[in-house]
Amino acid sequence: MGMALKIRTILLERNMTIKELSDKLGYNGANLYNKLRKDNLTEKELRKIADALDCDYDGVFTFRDTGKQI
């Protein structure tokens, strides 16, 4: 599942629109919409979005064979 889909799922659970999220972030609505459409978000943006959605974001790599996370 891509990050954009995860964000849209959280928006549904929070009863929030992309426009409302854009306003919270101080973004142009079309800008965030395009980033979500292309699934083109930086880690910094993902952290800001998580904060605006009252969520934690943990971007980690997990080794499949050992479970070690980086």
Side-chain angles (χ1 to χ4, degrees):
M1 177 185 299
M3 284 298 165
L5 183 56
K6 290 178 183 181
I7 291 167
R8 289 176 192 275
T9 301
I10 295 167
L11 287 172
L12 286 172
E13 288 193 29
R14 298 282 194 223
N15 294 315
M16 186 183 288
T17 65
I18 294 173
K19 172 74 170 107
E20 290 169 329
L21 178 58
S22 294
D23 291 344
K24 278 186 134 182
L25 296 169
Y27 287 177
N28 173 321
N31 183 28
L32 182 58
Y33 176 80
N34 287 332
K35 285 182 169 288
L36 290 173
R37 185 173 53 81
K38 295 177 184 176
D39 206 3
N40 183 19
L41 298 154
T42 66
E43 185 168 351
K44 184 177 179 180
E45 290 170 323
L46 290 169
R47 291 188 186 283
K48 284 179 68 174
I49 290 168
D51 190 47
L53 294 171
D54 194 27
C55 294
D56 293 323
Y57 169 75
D58 297 314
V60 297
F61 288 94
T62 304
F63 285 79
R64 291 185 183 126
D65 55 349
T66 64
K68 179 180 175 182
Q69 293 183 333
I70 297 178

